[in-house]
Every structure is written in C-alpha cells, then in structure tokens.
Amino acid sequence: MPTLTVDGRVIETAEGKSILEALDDAGLLMNGVDVPHYCWHPKLSVDGSCRLCQVEVEGFPKLQIACNTVVQDGMVVNTTSDRVRKAREGVVELLLINHPLDCPICDQAGECKLQDYAFDYGVEKSRTREPRRAAKKRVDLGPTIVFDQERCILCRRCVRFCDEVPKTRELAVFGRGDRSVIETFPGMELDNPYSMNVADICPVGALTTKDFRFKIRVWFLEDVEGLCTGCANGCNIYLGIANNKVYRYQPRRNDDVNETWMCDAGRLSYRDIGAPDRLQYAYVRDATGSLEAAGYEAAIGAAARRLRAIIGSKGAGVIAGVASAHATNEDLFTFRRFIEALGTETSGVAVPKGDADDLLIKAEKAANAAGARALGLGDASLVADRIRSGGIDALVCLGSDFLGTGLLANVEELAGLDTVIVLDTHKSEFSRVAHVILPTRHAAEKHGTLTNAAGRVQRLRAAVEPAYEAHPDGAVLSHLGKALGLPGFDGSYDVRAVSKALAESEPAFSGIHLDSVGDRGRVLIDPDASQRDREPEGPNL
Amino acid sequence: MLKVPHVTSYLTEHFAEDAFGTLAGYEKKGGYAAARKALTEMAPGDVIELVKASGLQGRGGAGFNTGLKWSFMPADSDVPKYLVCNADESEPGSFKDRILLERSPHQLLEGILIAAYAVGACTTFIYIRGEYSFPADQVERAVAEAYDQGHLGPNVLGSGFRHDVVVHRGAGAYICGEETGLLESLEGKKGQPRKKPPFPAQVGAFGMPTTVNNVETFCHVPYIVNRGAEWFRGFGTEASPGTTLFGVSGHVVKPGLFELPLGTPLSEIVFEHAGGIAGGRKVKGVIPGGMSMPILPAGQLDVPMANESLRERGTMLGTGGIMVMDETTCMVRVGCVISYFFRDESCGQCTQCREGTGWLNKIMNRIERGAGQSEDLGVLLDIAAKMEGQTICAFADAAAWPVQGLLRHFRADFEEHVRLGRCPFTASFEL
Ligand SMILES: Cc1cc2nc3c(=O)[nH]c(=O)nc-3n(C[C@H](O)[C@H](O)[C@H](O)COP(=O)(O)O)c2cc1C
Ligand code: SF4
Ligand code: SF4
Ligand code: SF4
Ligand code: FES
C-alpha cells in the first residue's frame, strides 16, 4: 500500500488513488487537511479544470492538482505553503471578477463554496474595474431546476453528473473562453429521475431546485440524519428542519447505499410529512354510520370494544391483520406480537410496487418490505383471499397500501366486514369503510430502524414532532393490545427496548438494533436463511 | 514561381520547382530513398537512436527532443499505435508549415513513414488547420499518389511495413494545435486539451499510444536518415542543431520565409534577409517566435535565434514566426490585439485561463482608450503571474508571456497612455 505524507501526516492509501481520494478515504479532506476544490467530486470523473486543488508535491517544480495526481509511495505533499495559498487566491479572485455577487438574493448563500473560499482565500477589495460579464438569469432548465448563468463557475460537475450517473447527457458547455456557458442541448430539457442532484453538487447558487428556491435561508435549517422512505433502497438523507417543519431532503453520503445521490421522487416525498391530507384526529363511525372525529383514547376504546365483541362471538380467527411495508422494524415486530397475542392466523404485509432502474430506484415503493419479510410476514394476498372467501369479519390494517396494491378490486370489497380498524398517516379511501381510524406518525416523526432491499438495517430518527396526537404504529398497537387485555401488552412502547428485544429474538437481527447500526447501517445476518428457519413454525408465531 | 530566399537550405532547396511537390519530381531529387533505407536496412530502435543523436528538436513550439519523444512510445503494445502530424499551424506570425504542406507534401510523407516505422504506428492522422484548403488539397493529392505507387498501404515501398495516412481537416480553433486539444478534435469532440497524465504516448488518439509531431519536425527526418546525425549537427548550435524556417512579417522590406541555421542572430534575419525596416524607420520591438513569445526590444536583436540563447533574454524560439514592429507601433495596441486573440481562443476549461484572458484584454483595451490607471500595470502583471504554469495546457502561459514581455520592455508606452489619458500614437483604431 502506498504511503504519502501530507503536511507531515502519514497516510496509507490504495494503489492508484489520487491525493484527493487518499485524503477523502482517510476522512481528512476539509476535515484536518484543507485542499479546497470545485470540479472534483468523489463520485464523478476527474475534470482537473478549476485548478483550485493545487498543492506542492516534492520533486515537481510546478504545483500539481491533487485531484489528478496519483499517489506514489513515499510522496510528500504540502498543502499549506505560501505558493499553494497564492495559487488558491488566484483562482478565487479570477472566479470573482465576473461573479454577480448576488449573495443577498442567492439561495446558496450560507452553503456556497465560493463564499466559503472567498472568505478563506479572497482579497478584501475587488481589483477589477471592468464591467462584469452579463449572462442569463432564471433559465428554466426543465421541470425541476432553475439556472443562473452569471453565478456559474463552470466546474462542469452538473455536466459530468448527467453524462455519468443517469447517463441522460442533457447538459454541456457551449462556447469557449470567457463566453463559455452551461446549457441544455437544443430541444432538450434537464429532465431525468435524478435531475435535482445537480443542485446539490453545484458548488454555487447557479443551479437551484424549483422546489426549495426562496423557501428559507439555509442557515435557519438544521440537518437531521434520516432515511428516504420512497422505496426499498433506503437512501440516506438529511432532513432540513426549521420550526418543526421539514423544508427539504438532501442526499447524505453512504457509499454502501446511495453514494451521494437520491432520486427526485424520493427527494420530493418530504411533502407528504406536512401534507394537508395528514390524519390529524382519530375517527370513529357512530351509530348513524357516519365517520366522526374522535379523541384518541375514545377511538382506542371503540376499536377494542368492536374487536372484543367479535372475539367473544366468533373467536379471534376471523380477525385479519395487514402490516405496512412503510412501518419500522420495531413497529412490525410489535405488529407480529399483536397478531400472535390475538391468536389469529391471517396476516400479511402489503407492498406497493412501481418502476425500478439499475441505479437506486427499487420497484418496492416502501422502505421496509425487506424488514417485513425478515420478520416472517408473508404477502397480504392471503388476507385478501380470505376476505373474499368470507372467512374474515374484522381487519386491522396498518397504512392504506392494502387498497393500492391491486390485492383488492376496490375498497368496497371491505364494505361487508363487521369491523375495519385502520392505523394511518394520511387520509385515504378507507374513510368509506373504516370503523375506527387511528392517526400514526410519519417516518420523519419517529425513531426506529428500516431494512432496505439489500438487507441493510438503517437508523431512522424523529426529526419533527406532529402538532397533534399521533403515535408510531407500534405504540398504537400497544395501546390497543392493552385495551384488549392481550398478554404482554401494557400500553407502553419504548422503541429502544423494542429494538433490542427484536435483536435478541430474531437471529437475522442478532446484535442489530437502533443503537448498533451506526450511521451507515448494518446488513442482516443472512435474511433468507432466517426466513427459511421461520417457515415450519407457520404464521402463528 | 515561389521565391524562397535562403542561405543554407536542405528543406527548401528545391522549393522553386513546382515538380518537387509531385511524387515523380520528389523522387527525382532523391525522395523516398531515406524511407527505403530506414524501412529495409534499419531497426526501429536504430532510427530512434539516430534521431536522438541528431539532437532534432520539435518545431511545433516547445522544442522537445524528437528522438526522446519517440522513445516514450511503448515498444510492445497489443493495441494499435498512432502517429499524428500537427498541421494546425495557427500561431499568429507563423506560416512555415503551410509552405511545407504546399510545396513538399512528399517530403512530409517520407518523414512520417520513417517516424511511423520507428514508433511502430499503423496509421498517421494529418490534422490540417481548417483554413488551409490549398495545403490540404496538396497533401490529399500526395497521399493518393503515394497509395497509387505503393508508398503507402499494406506494403510500403515493398518493405512489408504497413502504413495508412488519414487527412483530417480542423475547423479553425487555435487550441486544436495543442496536441491533446488536437486529439479531442480528431476524435470528433470539442477541442479542449486533456489533463495530463495520461500523456499521449500512453493514451492518445482514440485511447491508443500516440506521438504528435509538427509538420516541419517530420520534414527534417529524411535528411537526417540520408546524411546522418553528424551532418545535421553541422547546422545550428550545439544545443539546437539544424536549420529552421523563420517566417518574417511586419514592418520589413521583404517579409517572407527563410531557412536558416538555428542560432542565426535575429538582427541578421531582420536586417539582411528580410531587408530591414520599411520606409527607413527604426525598429521598435520584435516578437521572435510567434505571438505567444515575449517581445524583444530593439536593443536586443543581437540574440542568436535558438532556445538556449532566447531563454536568457526571457523569451523563446516558439515557432520561429518573427514579427517586426517599427517605431510607429503603439505597444498598448499590440497588447490589445494579442490579448484579444487569447481571450477569443481560450478553450475556457481552466479558471485562470478563461477568466484571466478576458480580464487582461479588458484592461489593455481600457488603457488604450485612455481610461487606464497606474495600478493597472501591476494588476496586469499579477494576472499574468496567476495564469502562468498553473493550467491544463500551455495556452495560459502563452497568453501571459506576451503581456509580461510588453511590460518588461515597453512599460513607458503604457505609462504614457495612463498619464495622457489617451493613446499618444496617431494611427489608433476602434477597439
Ligand atoms: C496553445 C498551443 C497551440 C499549439 N499549436 C500548435 C500548432 O499549431 N502546431 C504545432 O505543431 N504545435 C502546436 N503546439 C504544440 C503542440 O502541443 C505539440 O507540442 C507539438 O505539436 C509537438 O510537435 P513537435 O514535438 O514536433 O514540436 C501548440 C501548443 C499550444 C500550447
Ligand atoms: S452550474 Fe454549477 S455545477 Fe454546473 S458548471 Fe456551473 S457551477 Fe458547476
Ligand atoms: S431511490 Fe428510493 S430511497 Fe432513494 S431517494 Fe429515490 S425513492 Fe428514496
Ligand atoms: S490553459 Fe486555457 S486553453 Fe489550455 S486547457 Fe486551460 S483553459 Fe483551455
Ligand atoms: S478540484 Fe482539482 S482541478 Fe478542480
């Protein structure tokens, strides 16, 4: 393994790595060793054009760009000399001579690399007397992105992204010299399932998303680590939070899951959190048959009464449970316990499906289908079949995917049931047939873990608090279980304790719980094997 | 009939005869004998050693040792290797390659064959500047003749060596003369120099090992093979052997192309061969090697025209394009023209070059308009320093050096503009 010395610090690296990669791999880049850079991005090809990353390499008379200099064993690098500083100052000054200095009205202000490096390496007073180059403002590049040509520093990250990641190649540099501009190819729009990533990688405020533009100044935002729940990939994200509100999702780097990207649909799914159709109350169908808002406790009481009556008359076997693939491992573990305690054999999980690609987007449009499978939950088609054949009188359903996955022709198929109890985050068609609806928390509002398609268990954090009474699915089931007097249900729901109990009882999760998965997640211990082990025991676990 | 005045010549010896441009005419003067010799009697390594020993320096501007460059090509390679002839000649003040292409295309092809054999290239791409239609026609005609006669193709000169030549026309960008910008353009991409490493000898045209040489460089090679390294070293200086083609333009009586040994004093070229300054005026400054090279003042024309001696005066031989300016010349205007060229031609990848070329030009123009300030001179030098030696290719250096040269030797012109608030020279023009 080649070893290099950077500012006296010895770093080991793999064969063929550039100086910047070596620093990045060692976690030192801009975190102990400052090598400012614009065009280099860890997940894109090397461009070598911004010339900001120049460093002194012993044995080379000229400064070398750290992004394109492959480490040779014994290489000695200096990033702090006067010459290096001068070179950085040069690049920054030259980038600023034509920059519009829009900061007061620029969305990037506060997270702008030109601001940052101008602060670090800029001259205090502009020496240019020449008129700044005028260029196009507010260029509509497509459905998601607005472009400001004046702010662009031509690092070409956006071009390389479109060429190399979605491979849709919408962007290019047109013209040359100081007339160079980024544009879409004639007749083309920047329109691909990952288009909004260009706004993240643009070091300046040249590319902004229509969605986030002008919503809030970024310095008011707190970034909370979390997960996208748009599909089974489980992309790692930051939730941008202010005043208990989620303003945006941005990808958080996890080389094992999503590198530094996320898809547009997933990014925009933050809108679900504060959506107007969130369930803000519990609902109970009254004697006249109309569904009325109710207090949470009253709704739990109503649900318990209905279920108890059915158990009393026909036994628990006529109750079916449908779990949600959006629920956390802890929710689902509690669901399984709930079903077991009830003593019914009819349960499953409803997994919504959609389009997939070979980059990130998975066909399963829920974050925890793999977790549900690892916990032994079968397909909800069993439930649908039994409802159709008339063997079911009551349904306890987590979420509304049971309606949207094609298992039922329509919601009216449930109209004949004696009791339908729904735990959900949003209003749905269920309001036509449900007898009790209990509001639950969105993934952004609760702690827990999710298992992605690759079996990686990842940490979910409560980033915001709902403004009304809503509990995680697991907690609601726990309240309901207590009201029903089910063994082992005392109405409490300590997610950390549940996570540990899960890890202890499930071989696949052995040692894998909320506090042990770290910020990159941990892969299940052979999930297939664990599922096979479960099978002989049947659904009555 | 074209007149090429010369004192010492081999390259241009027969240029007065139109027939020299045809295969028959060229062979009549002994053409293709060197290629025959190299391809049938010499090993490729011997050719490289011979050219190394001759001390031939590339004539494309950088003056790199040609034999040494050839030796960088991988000897064993399981992929094809290519040779590229750089005929993009776009350096203002330079017009030597054009004459070679027009008058002696077979001399070029013979040099190419020898080089191709030496480095083991299967194909040569001749990249010809877009504006050079007649030269391109001449080369295409010569290539067709050579194929006809078996001098190109599957069995070159009966030696068993296979070689193909492809003529490619550029589209008129200066930066496509930079060897990796050329390669990009050749591949059908936007002409933008590549970052190095990798160097063309590892990853060149279409990803294959490639050597790029200038037109004139190739043209010297047959003579070296025929007459030997010692003979070649009989011309020029110890460090810079051979003759070269000096193109003289500007305020001289007889502008033109002169084949002279390297090391010939600049004054001799300007005052004897080019007939001195027109109209009996005095010389003010001379750009010695194409527009990228720093200018020399009248007092320094004694300098021998070879890289080692020009470097001592803070300039370089470049392409040997000598631009002579008399005492009526406004050096700020010269700065405007030069900086406009580089601003226009920068490919725009590197921050320093893209932004620096524009800034230099804007300041030059402002000074010429009479709105300069004394700080501007320091800023000009500072921008030039920021551009030098820090970019993907040498274009930024080429844009910075002329500015440094002008301010080194003609600062008074700039100061005068600032002091008067106008251009003190009469023949001013709209910018
Ligand atoms: C901006 C720029 C323009 C150039 N233009 C030319 C050119 O027009 N013709 C040429 O032969 N070399 C040109 N060169 C030099 C080439 O990059 C290369 O060094 C040369 O073709 C190598 O040939 P040689 O070794 O035979 O000189 C240019 C270099 C730069 C930096
Ligand atoms: S728009 Fe942004 S990412 Fe694209 S080249 Fe310009 S500065 Fe770079
Ligand atoms: S790929 Fe899936 S997890 Fe990733 S951002 Fe898109 S929807 Fe979210
Ligand atoms: S120095 Fe100038 S011409 Fe050369 S690659 Fe950089 S921007 Fe292009
Ligand atoms: S980061 Fe290395 S040149 Fe831009």
Side-chain angles (χ1 to χ4, degrees):
Chain A
M1 287 238 287
T3 300
L4 80 158
T5 310
V6 182
D7 304 333
R9 202 193 288 247
V10 179
I11 301 166
E12 279 214 343
T13 189
E15 204 69 53
K17 296 273 184 178
S18 69
I19 299 172
L20 272 194
E21 281 177 305
L23 289 170
D24 186 43
D25 290 351
L28 289 168
L29 185 57
M30 307 313 284
N31 181 32
V33 179
D34 278 2
V35 183
H37 51 276
Y38 284 124
C39 64
W40 183 81
H41 183 279
K43 299 297 171 190
L44 298 174
S45 64
V46 175
D47 202 61
S49 62
C50 75
R51 317 304 290 178
L52 183 58
C53 70
Q54 294 182 96
V55 293
E56 250 176 46
V57 181
E58 259 180 32
F60 289 84
K62 285 186 186 178
L63 297 178
Q64 300 293 308
I65 49 172
C67 64
N68 194 44
T69 304
V70 173
V71 173
Q72 308 291 335
D73 193 32
M75 198 176 244
V76 179
V77 176
N78 183 338
T79 75
T80 57
S81 72
D82 268 1
R83 252 171 95 210
V84 170
R85 193 179 167 85
K86 278 234 144 47
R88 291 175 187 168
E89 288 172 358
V91 171
V92 170
E93 180 176 29
L94 285 161
L95 283 174
L96 285 171
I97 57 168
N98 279 308
H99 199 78
L101 304 179
D102 271 347
C103 307
I105 53 155
C106 177
D107 261 317
Q108 193 83 0
E111 54 184 8
C112 172
K113 292 289 175 222
L114 190 57
Q115 276 188 331
D116 292 354
Y117 298 152
F119 193 77
D120 292 343
Y121 303 106
V123 283
E124 259 167 56
K125 201 170 150 290
S126 170
R127 294 192 294 170
T128 175
R129 300 169 195 281
E130 323 311 322
R132 283 163 200 272
R133 179 174 58 230
K136 293 187 208 154
K137 306 291 264 186
R138 289 179 299 279
V139 184
D140 196 323
L141 289 188
T144 58
I145 297 288
V146 180
F147 176 48
D148 186 312
Q149 250 173 20
E150 286 185 345
R151 293 179 193 159
C152 171
I153 58 165
L154 287 158
C155 70
R156 309 196 290 189
R157 280 180 170 191
C158 54
V159 177
R160 279 174 287 140
F161 174 81
C162 292
D163 286 355
E164 296 166 17
V165 182
K167 302 192 170 65
T168 41
R169 301 173 188 279
E170 296 100 330
L171 297 175
V173 182
F174 290 79
R176 60 180 187 179
D178 63 356
R179 286 91 53 220
S180 302
V181 285
I182 298 286
E183 278 180 83
T184 51
F185 278 100
M188 246 188 165
E189 287 199 316
L190 173 57
D191 185 7
N192 66 62
Y194 297 90
S195 65
M196 292 160 93
N197 288 291
V198 298
D200 303 329
I201 59 176
C202 180
V204 293
L207 295 168
T208 48
T209 68
K210 289 181 183 173
D211 178 63
F212 181 69
R213 244 165 105 75
F214 304 139
K215 292 276 162 63
I216 190 170
R217 306 268 27 183
V218 296
W219 51 83
F220 294 123
L221 291 179
E222 180 200 352
D223 283 337
V224 180
E225 292 182 5
L227 303 170
C228 172
T229 51
C231 82
N233 202 55
C235 292
N236 291 206
I237 60 168
Y238 286 113
L239 297 90
I241 311 291
N243 309 316
N244 198 34
K245 185 176 158 194
V246 181
Y247 281 84
R248 66 175 174 189
Y249 283 173
Q250 284 189 304
R252 171 167 60 93
R253 181 173 177 180
N254 185 339
D255 291 354
D256 295 322
V257 178
N258 55 313
E259 304 207 308
T260 53
W261 319 122
M262 74 186 299
C263 78
D264 291 356
R267 184 187 301 258
L268 293 176
S269 68
Y270 82 89
R271 291 170 174 169
D272 294 346
I273 303 164
D277 62 344
R278 275 300 292 273
L279 276 172
Q280 306 203 6
Y281 314 96
Y283 291 85
V284 175
R285 198 166 295 279
D286 66 14
T288 68
S290 105
L291 194 67
E292 297 295 340
Y296 178 74
E297 299 290 335
I300 289 282
R305 262 193 310 282
R306 297 191 77 108
L307 289 176
R308 226 180 288 120
I310 288 174
I311 297 169
S313 59
K314 300 194 173 177
V318 298
I319 304 175
V322 172
S324 163
H326 290 289
T328 61
N329 292 318
E330 292 72 20
D331 290 330
L332 294 175
F333 184 63
T334 309
F335 172 82
R336 213 182 70 191
R337 273 183 51 228
F338 180 81
I339 294 294
E340 286 164 8
L342 267 179
T344 174
E345 303 198 334
T346 310
S347 71
V349 60
V351 182
K353 299 263 170 54
D355 291 336
D357 64 17
D358 50 14
L359 200 56
L360 300 176
I361 301 171
K362 299 287 182 285
E364 293 186 328
K365 298 297 168 202
N368 204 24
R373 278 192 292 275
L375 287 166
L377 288 162
D379 195 84
S381 57
L382 171 78
V383 180
D385 291 347
R386 290 197 180 162
I387 289 173
R388 240 176 257 122
S389 62
I392 297 298
D393 287 322
L395 174 68
V396 177
C397 191
L398 271 51
S400 58
D401 287 330
F402 192 45
L403 301 179
T405 42
L407 295 169
L408 300 174
N410 53 49
V411 69
E412 307 306 333
E413 285 205 57
L414 302 175
L417 296 187
D418 180 86
T419 291
V420 176
I421 295 164
V422 177
L423 282 63
D424 209 351
T425 50
H426 292 73
K427 293 177 183 159
S428 76
E429 290 255 277
F430 263 127
S431 59
R432 313 230 322 250
V433 299
H435 300 92
V436 179
I437 299 178
L438 295 155
T440 55
R441 290 193 172 208
H442 184 276
E445 298 161 343
K446 60 187 176 185
H447 293 285
T449 60
L450 295 169
T451 310
N452 82 354
R456 179 170 294 271
V457 182
Q458 307 192 92
R459 174 77 202 261
L460 198 61
R461 281 187 176 76
V464 286
E465 273 290 306
Y468 36 85
E469 184 168 10
H471 301 280
D473 304 64
V476 177
L477 290 171
S478 176
H479 300 151
L480 189 54
K482 182 183 180 199
L484 285 167
L486 295 181
F489 283 83
D490 61 0
S492 71
Y493 182 74
D494 173 351
V495 69
R496 180 162 275 113
V498 174
S499 192
K500 294 207 164 123
L502 191 173
E504 272 162 30
S505 89
E506 301 298 307
F509 284 84
S510 177
I512 302 175
H513 54 78
L514 193 132
D515 288 325
S516 75
V517 293
D519 56 3
R520 293 178 70 158
R522 278 176 62 183
V523 179
L524 286 180
I525 297 148
D526 195 3
D528 295 338
S530 92
Q531 219 177 324
R532 268 198 312 279
D533 292 347
R534 306 202 65 81
E535 259 157 21
E537 295 167 49
N540 199 14
L541 273 165
Chain B
M1 222 177 51
L2 183 90
K3 276 229 184 73
V4 183
H6 58 266
V7 177
T8 316
S9 81
Y10 47 93
L11 278 187
T12 57
E13 190 181 348
H14 304 294
F15 271 30
E17 302 152 47
D18 284 340
F20 193 67
T22 66
L23 197 150
Y26 181 61
E27 291 205 303
K28 219 158 132 195
K29 299 290 177 194
Y32 286 104
R36 257 191 200 91
K37 177 174 168 191
L39 268 57
T40 55
E41 294 169 27
M42 296 173 76
D46 297 340
V47 180
I48 295 182
E49 285 314 311
L50 173 69
V51 174
K52 256 193 212 166
S54 77
L56 173 63
Q57 296 171 334
R59 302 292 199 248
F64 196 80
N65 183 294
T66 304
L68 189 60
K69 185 189 266 191
W70 293 358
S71 71
F72 296 154
M73 285 286 268
D76 295 311
S77 162
D78 38 19
V79 294
K81 290 182 273 186
Y82 294 135
L83 194 63
V84 170
C85 170
N86 190 341
D88 189 57
E89 187 164 64
S90 320
E91 176 81 7
S94 181
F95 44 88
K96 66 191 176 72
D97 295 339
R98 174 180 142 200
I99 304 298
L100 291 168
L101 297 168
E102 287 178 1
R103 305 299 300 180
S104 65
H106 284 288
Q107 181 170 287
L108 171 63
L109 289 180
E110 187 177 10
I112 283 174
L113 276 175
I114 298 167
Y117 175 73
V119 301
C122 62
T123 305
T124 296
F125 300 94
I126 306 182
Y127 186 98
I128 305 187
R129 171 182 173 151
E131 293 87 339
Y132 278 8
S133 333
F134 180 59
D137 290 348
Q138 290 297 88
V139 173
E140 301 228 29
R141 188 190 42 71
V143 168
E145 272 185 312
Y147 269 109
D148 253 11
Q149 299 298 311
H151 290 22
L152 283 175
N155 185 13
V156 173
L157 298 161
S159 68
F161 179 65
R162 179 188 179 106
H163 197 67
D164 290 300
V165 169
V166 177
V167 177
H168 184 98
R169 301 284 303 277
Y174 173 65
I175 198 57
C176 293
E178 195 280 341
E179 58 186 10
T180 58
L182 184 157
L183 294 177
E184 286 284 291
S185 166
L186 182 66
E187 292 180 9
K189 302 176 189 149
K190 188 173 177 181
Q192 288 185 332
R194 298 175 180 170
K195 58 187 181 301
K196 285 139 261 190
F199 291 92
Q202 289 109 46
V203 183
F206 308 100
M208 304 301 154
T210 302
T211 293
V212 183
N213 278 121
N214 170 256
V215 171
E216 187 196 328
T217 312
F218 285 118
C219 289
H220 286 279
V221 171
Y223 298 94
I224 294 170
V225 169
N226 267 337
R227 305 178 189 177
E230 275 319 300
W231 166 83
F232 187 74
R233 286 189 166 280
F235 302 94
T237 68
E238 176 65 30
S240 306
T243 64
T244 198
L245 302 185
F246 293 108
V248 186
S249 61
H251 298 145
V252 288
V253 178
K254 291 188 293 174
L257 199 65
F258 305 91
E259 183 183 356
L260 293 163
L262 284 166
T264 306
L266 182 53
S267 53
E268 180 191 321
I269 301 174
V270 172
F271 294 107
E272 291 179 28
H273 304 296
I277 306 300
R281 290 186 294 270
K282 283 201 228 127
V283 64
K284 182 166 178 177
V286 178
I287 295 176
M291 212 169 75
S292 320
M293 298 303 147
I295 193 168
L296 288 170
Q300 295 202 23
L301 305 191
D302 58 317
V303 64
M305 287 293 283
N307 259 326
E308 63 275 17
S309 37
L310 284 161
R311 281 220 174 86
E312 282 171 20
R313 310 283 179 100
T315 184
M316 276 190 287
L317 181 65
T319 57
I322 297 169
M323 298 159 96
V324 183
M325 287 162 258
D326 73 19
E327 58 192 336
T328 64
T329 311
C330 166
M331 287 300 171
V332 179
R333 262 172 71 192
V334 171
C336 292
V337 172
I338 295 181
S339 60
Y340 172 71
F341 174 81
F342 285 109
R343 179 184 184 181
D344 194 48
E345 295 286 348
S346 163
C347 90
Q349 295 185 91
C350 313
T351 303
Q352 294 95 326
C353 181
R354 178 182 66 240
E355 304 297 338
T357 50
W359 197 6
L360 287 175
N361 180 237
K362 286 179 184 174
I363 297 178
M364 286 284 184
N365 287 351
R366 190 160 47 73
I367 297 174
E368 176 65 3
R369 276 201 315 271
Q373 292 179 319
S374 47
E375 304 90 85
D376 287 333
L377 310 193
V379 175
L380 283 173
L381 286 174
D382 195 51
I383 300 168
K386 285 178 167 154
M387 294 169 67
E388 204 183 345
Q390 296 197 18
T391 49
I392 291 179
C393 84
F395 180 103
D397 305 80
W401 292 331
V403 173
Q404 293 169 342
L406 286 169
L407 279 160
R408 191 180 311 137
H409 301 301
F410 300 99
R411 200 180 172 98
D413 273 20
F414 287 77
E415 284 168 347
E416 190 73 348
H417 279 70
V418 171
R419 197 176 59 81
L420 295 174
R422 63 175 171 82
C423 175
F425 294 84
T426 44
S428 203
F429 67 119
E430 270 305 306
L431 290 165

